[in-house]
Amino acid sequence: MATDRTDEPVAKRLGELVLTSSHVAEFLHDLAVEAATELSTTGQQVSCSITVVRRKKSATAASSDGRARAMDEVQYAFNDGPCLSAIRLATTIHVPDLHNESRWPEYLEAVNEGTLKSILAVPVPVDNDARAALNLYSDGKDAFPADSVASAERFAREASQSLRLALRIAQLTDARDDLAAAMASRTTIDLAAGAIMGQNRCTQETAMAILKSASSTRNIKLRDVAARVIASVAPDDTVSTHFDS
């Protein structure tokens, strides 16, 4: 089912997508476009979306076109559908004719009036903290025969390593950003405590107690209370945290 547009292995192309994408959302979009191109034929064009569910994060989705995006949004609205079932059950979900399908009744009622006829959802193996699926949509009935299902499952396996790498990079980037934010917050609080110590000639412990009391009494985050203290004593309340990136 793959096209002849290039002799370059899919896994290599997907690896290059990871390196050229600035963030995971961009990679997922490029991956969806790549899948739609790879799994379409001259007589059968498919739309594609990629859905990723990570622990403690909202689901991330990207699509090759508006149709795939619209179909995914319907699933998310009902929290049910082929894609979500593929993720939850870790198995391929094949819908050869949507109008003769009985699973996901609310989802079906919302989409059966359109031109969409066939759906194929294939889980993509990723790390234990994440789950993902490749979702293919077609306006033709029986658009995904056995060889097409095999091609989609093969693509999902080939995409697995690149997706794992992209998610790992995203995880490290999030951890770096969280650390930077925590350090900046700590710097603001320490500066405010220092200002209180100078004004009240008290210990650091007492200064921190004053900050925490103000935070609790006013129901304001400790960092925001600290920022107000700094603003009250400094003509420039911009606080910078200096460390090697």
Side-chain angles (χ1 to χ4, degrees):
M1 191 174 181
T3 64
D4 295 327
R5 60 193 177 88
T6 177
D7 292 329
E8 189 176 37
V10 172
K12 181 178 180 181
R13 296 202 305 270
L14 298 184
E16 291 172 350
L17 288 182
V18 177
L19 299 178
T20 56
S21 299
S22 59
H23 48 76
V24 69
E26 180 181 341
F27 169 74
L28 290 176
H29 168 74
D30 292 343
L31 179 58
V33 172
E34 182 76 18
T37 303
E38 181 73 18
L39 299 172
S40 291
T41 63
T42 302
Q44 183 63 61
Q45 298 297 308
V46 300
S47 300
C48 176
S49 69
I50 307 290
T51 300
V52 177
V53 178
R54 290 181 284 172
R55 189 176 62 178
K56 297 182 180 180
K57 290 185 177 292
S58 57
T60 303
S63 55
S64 63
D65 55 37
R67 179 173 66 173
R69 181 168 57 254
M71 293 302 100
D72 281 355
E73 288 174 353
V74 173
Q75 291 195 75
Y76 304 144
F78 294 110
N79 195 31
D80 201 12
C83 160
L84 296 178
S85 292
I87 288 177
R88 291 164 180 162
L89 301 175
T91 189
T92 297
I93 301 294
H94 183 203
V95 183
D97 185 357
L98 199 63
H99 293 275
N100 290 327
E101 180 59 59
S102 59
R103 293 170 289 183
W104 325 289
E106 291 182 313
Y107 170 76
L108 292 172
E109 185 177 354
V111 301
N112 261 347
E113 297 302 321
T115 60
L116 185 66
K117 299 292 192 304
S118 302
I119 300 176
L120 181 65
V122 181
V124 181
V126 286
D127 296 329
N128 292 334
D129 288 343
R131 293 172 293 169
L134 168 72
N135 318 300
L136 302 174
Y137 302 97
S138 172
D139 57 8
K141 289 194 298 184
D142 299 313
F144 303 108
D147 62 331
S148 297
V149 174
S151 294
E153 291 176 336
R154 182 169 57 252
F155 185 93
R157 290 193 299 270
E158 292 174 330
S160 175
Q161 184 174 356
S162 297
L163 181 54
R164 287 177 179 177
L165 178 58
L167 292 176
R168 180 57 177 163
I169 292 172
Q171 183 181 32
L172 293 174
T173 299
D174 289 345
R176 180 201 64 192
D177 294 344
D178 290 345
L179 177 60
M183 292 180 70
S185 180
R186 186 72 252 178
T187 298
T188 300
I189 293 169
D190 287 344
L191 288 174
I196 292 173
M197 290 169 64
Q199 289 179 331
N200 295 277
R201 298 184 180 279
C202 63
T203 64
Q204 183 182 29
E205 182 178 359
T206 299
M208 287 300 301
I210 292 172
L211 283 172
K212 291 177 180 178
S213 177
S215 173
S216 177
T217 301
R218 301 174 188 177
N219 195 26
I220 301 174
K221 291 181 179 179
L222 184 61
R223 185 187 186 284
D224 294 337
V225 172
R228 293 184 182 185
V229 171
I230 295 172
S232 70
V233 299
D236 180 4
D237 61 355
T238 301
V239 175
S240 298
T241 303
H242 301 281
F243 59 93
D244 293 332
S245 58

